[in-house]
């Protein structure tokens, strides 16, 4: 990966298109649980129960909703492996795997800038404001 910065004005030739694209990316990755789920799936396929056990504090409903959204975005594949009992495996698509190049720097930046004396901060994350969408409170399930 190149460490040379690309000026925003040169990402796609249009300031307006660049802003729209960043908003769309933030819409997918800006959900509290999406980067956590994607990062877990970077380690390989998992069943729903394996994901639920591996991800702290996520409700089954939120995990299910998030997986459905990520599947609709073409980032996660869902495969039913048994009918009785129902067992479903989730894996990243090739598009989802490409997000490793985004998620790893996010983690590095967070470790460097969102820790105090090497310990994680205890502040509650806020929901990013996306233009055209009203702000809202973050619930514990999100």
């Amino acid at each position: 990966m190149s460490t040379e910065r690309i000026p925003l004005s040169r990402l796609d030739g249009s300031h307006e298109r660049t802003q729209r694209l960043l908003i769309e990316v933030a819409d997918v990755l800006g959900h509290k649980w999406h980067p956590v789920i994607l990062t877990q799936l970077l380690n390989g396929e998992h069943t729903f129960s394996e994901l639920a056990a591996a991800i702290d504090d996520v409700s089954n409903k939120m995990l299910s909703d998030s997986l459905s959204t990520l599947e609709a975005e073409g980032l996660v594949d869902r495969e039913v492996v048994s009918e009785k009992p129902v067992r479903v495996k989730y894996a990243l698509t090739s598009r989802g795997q490409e997000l490793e190049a985004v998620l790893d720097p996010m983690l590095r930046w967070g470790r460097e800038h969102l820790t105090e004396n090497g310990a994680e901060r205890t502040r509650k994350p806020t929901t990013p404001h996306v233009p055209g969408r009203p702000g809202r409170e973050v619930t514990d399930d999100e």
Side-chain angles (χ1 to χ4, degrees), residues 18-64:
T18 298
Q19 288 181 6
R20 235 183 2 253
L21 183 60
L22 288 170
I23 290 168
E24 288 177 27
V25 170
D27 194 38
V28 174
L29 293 181
H31 185 279
K32 176 179 178 178
W33 295 110
H34 291 182
V36 177
I37 294 166
L38 292 166
T39 299
Q40 190 64 41
L41 289 173
L42 282 169
N43 295 319
E45 68 181 19
H46 292 284
T47 63
F48 184 90
S49 57
E50 289 170 342
L51 286 169
I55 300 172
D56 298 335
D57 301 325
V58 68
S59 70
N60 284 344
K61 180 182 180 344
M62 187 55 60
L63 180 57
S64 178

Side-chain angles (χ1 to χ4, degrees), residues 99-120:
L99 285 170
E100 184 172 13
V102 175
L103 296 168
D104 283 350
M106 285 174 60
L107 284 169
R108 276 193 302 277
W109 186 90
R111 286 185 184 117
E112 183 177 334
H113 297 284
L114 299 179
T115 59
E116 296 173 8
N117 301 323
E120 292 182 17

Side-chain angles (χ1 to χ4, degrees), residues 44-93:
E45 68 181 19
H46 292 284
T47 63
F48 184 90
S49 57
E50 289 170 342
L51 286 169
I55 300 172
D56 298 335
D57 301 325
V58 68
S59 70
N60 284 344
K61 180 182 180 344
M62 187 55 60
L63 180 57
S64 178
D65 291 350
S66 295
L67 285 165
S68 293
T69 299
L70 292 169
E71 184 183 4
E73 290 289 343
L75 302 175
V76 171
D77 273 332
R78 177 183 187 274
E79 177 189 0
V80 177
V81 291
S82 70
E83 298 277 332
K84 290 185 180 183
V86 174
R87 195 161 158 243
V88 178
K89 283 192 175 185
Y90 295 91
L92 292 178
T93 62

